[in-house]
Amino acid sequence: MGADTDDRFLAVDSIEFADDPHPMFDRLRAEAPVVRDPIGWSTLDYETSSQAFADRALTPGIDHVLETKGIEPLWGVVGRTLTDSEGDDHRRLRRVVGPWFNARRVEALRERVRTLSTEIIDELD
């Protein structure tokens, strides 16, 4: 059975998903913690996602997956971003950006993000 007709396929490009993704997530999560999606696999629950992130056999990031499908990497060169690197490269990048994402700085941005989000949503109405 093809991915587009598989009941355990996360069809993120479907009208059903665009209208309201929650029913699809709920249905799939009840069936399996890992499902196919248009570019590979998705984990659907916290426990499975945590295990996947901790599993060194799995390669992090999405750019390398997109590149194998002929899609240009999202952020430029594969393996040069925090989300698409591992080992020493990942640790080096985390040290650089980490101070900008501590709890105090994130809290300081909360109201600005809320304001911008509200403005964007209001423009859509």
Side-chain angles (χ1 to χ4, degrees), residues 62-81:
I62 192 172
D63 285 347
H64 68 282
V65 174
L66 296 175
E67 193 172 57
T68 63
K69 298 192 175 289
I71 301 170
E72 185 174 323
L74 299 174
W75 311 112
V77 181
V78 174
R80 309 272 315 258
T81 66

